[in-house]
Amino acid sequence: GHEAGDDAGEIDTEHVRLPGKYGRRVLFQVWLEGRELALHSLNAPNRRLSARDSGFDDVRIDGIRWRVYSSWDPDRELLVQIAEDAGSRADIATTVARSLLLPVALGLVLLGLLLAWSIARSLRPLTALSTAVGRRAPAHLAPVRLDEPVPAELQPLIDRLNRLLEQLGDSLERERRLTADAAHELRTPIAALRAQAQVARSSHDDRERDQALAQVVVGCDRAARLVEQLLSLARVEGTAPATPPQAVLLAPLAAQVIADLAPQALSRRIELELVDDARAAVDGHPELLRSLLRNLVDNAIRYSPAHTTVTVSVRADASGVALEVRDQGPGVPEHQRHHLGERFRRLDHAAASGSGLGLSIVRRIAELHRATLSFGTGDTGRGLRVGLHFPPAGAPPRA
C-alpha cells in the first residue's frame, strides 16, 4: 500500500487528456490520502471536485453542474473522484430516448392490436352464449348448445345454466300438470253442486229440498278441502323451505293434530288413539310436519267405518324416529300400494273416493325431511298402515 502511495507521489501532476467523444465532459482526480493531488485530467481544477469521500454528489464548477462519484482504494491511501457533466448525461438520456421512441410506439400499437384481437377471440364464445340466450323465447328451455368450441373456463357456466333450465322446465311441467289435474278434479264437485242446487230450486218437497241442500254443503266441503290440499301441495312441491330446519318433538305435534281432528272423528263415531314416545325428535319444519300428520289422520278418518279406532304411534330408537298411522278401514290391496301418493289416482275399491292429494303432500314432505315412506296392513289384518322413518335429530345429511 505504501509503495503505491510513493509511486503516485512521484507522478508529476501532469495534465492527462481523456480520449473519446465525451473526453471534455469527464473530469477525474486522484488524491493521496485525500489531501495531495497526484493525478488529474486536463480540464479538472486543482481543488477537490467534491467534499464527500464516498458516493455520489452534485456540485457546480465554474457555473456548470457536475455529477461526482468518490471512492477510496482498499487501503484508504488513494481517493479517486470522477465527475461527469450533468448536461452530457441529459443529452445521452435524450438520445437514447429518441432512438427508442419509434420502436416503442410501434410496439405499443402492435401490442394493442394483438390484445384487441386476442380479447375478441377469447370473448367470442361468451358473446355467442349471450346471443343464444337473448334470442330464446321464454318457453324455450332446451339445453344451450354452441356451434364453436367452448373454453374450459366457460363450460361450468354453460353446465349450470343448462341445469337451471332443466330445473325450471321440470317446475313448469309440474305446474302445468297440477293445473290441468286440478281443473279436471274440480269439475266434478262443481257439476255436482250445480245439479243439487237445481234440484233444490225446482223441488216443491221440503224433505227433498233439504236433502239437496245438504248435498250442496257436502259438495262445498269437498271442493274446499280439495282447494286446501292443492294449495298445500303447491307450497311443498318444488324447492325446499327457505327457513332452516329445527329440532321438533313429534309427540306434542301429533297430540295437537289429534285434538284438532277429534270433532270430525267423533261425528263419524271413530276413536283416535295416540301411542307416543316423548323423546322422539327430528330435524324439520313444524308447519310441514303438522300438515303431514293432519293429512295422514284425516285420510284414516275418512276411510274408516264407524266404531273403529285410528291409532297414531311415535317411537324413537337408535336408527331414528318411526311414525305410524293405522286404521281399520277397507285397506289397499298390496299390488296397488305403489300407486298411493299419486295425484288424482283412483284405486279399484269403492271406498276410495279421494283424489290422492293427501298422500302426495305426505310423500313430498317426507322427501324434504329425508324420511322413508312405507305402506302395509293395519291392526288385526285390517285397514292400512302408513309408516314414516325419520333420521334422528342432528344426523348428517345423506350423500
Side-chain angles (χ1 to χ4, degrees), residues 159-173:
D159 292 342
R160 293 184 182 181
L161 178 61
N162 287 337
R163 177 59 180 162
L164 177 61
L165 291 175
E166 180 183 355
Q167 292 174 342
L168 183 58
D170 292 343
S171 177
L172 290 177
E173 181 61 25

Side-chain angles (χ1 to χ4, degrees), residues 11 13 29-32 35-40 45-47:
I11 297 175
T13 55
Q29 294 176 336
V30 178
W31 294 84
L32 290 174
R35 295 189 299 274
E36 181 180 350
L37 183 60
L39 185 67
H40 65 89
N46 292 329
R47 65 181 185 279

Side-chain angles (χ1 to χ4, degrees), residues 39 47 59-60 90 92 109-110 115 125 152 155 161 192 199 221 224 233 261 266 281 354 379 384 396:
L39 185 67
R47 65 181 185 279
V59 299
R60 283 191 172 274
I92 295 173
V109 172
L110 292 176
L115 285 175
Q155 189 61 49
L161 178 61
V199 169
D221 290 342
L233 185 60
L261 295 178
L266 183 62
D379 294 332
L384 179 68

Side-chain angles (χ1 to χ4, degrees), residues 185 188-189 222 225-226 229 268 299 302-303 330 344-357:
E185 189 70 15
T188 300
R222 181 185 175 192
R225 180 171 180 269
L226 182 60
Q229 287 182 318
R268 299 174 66 95
N299 270 4
R302 289 178 180 274
Y303 287 100
F344 309 109
R345 176 81 183 199
R346 294 285 191 269
L347 300 183
D348 299 332
H349 55 84
S353 61
S355 59
L357 289 179

Side-chain angles (χ1 to χ4, degrees), residues 111-127:
L111 181 60
L113 294 175
L114 181 61
L115 285 175
W117 175 82
S118 177
I119 292 174
R121 181 178 177 84
S122 300
L123 293 180
R124 187 186 304 164
L126 190 59
T127 304

Side-chain angles (χ1 to χ4, degrees), residues 123-178:
L123 293 180
R124 187 186 304 164
L126 190 59
T127 304
L129 175 62
S130 176
T131 303
V133 173
R135 289 178 178 175
R136 286 186 166 228
H140 186 200
L141 300 177
V144 176
R145 297 287 185 266
L146 298 183
D147 297 332
E148 56 187 73
V150 178
E153 296 82 3
L154 189 59
Q155 189 61 49
L157 173 62
I158 295 178
D159 292 342
R160 293 184 182 181
L161 178 61
N162 287 337
R163 177 59 180 162
L164 177 61
L165 291 175
E166 180 183 355
Q167 292 174 342
L168 183 58
D170 292 343
S171 177
L172 290 177
E173 181 61 25
R174 284 196 301 268
E175 290 184 5
R176 281 194 291 264
R177 289 200 308 266
L178 180 62

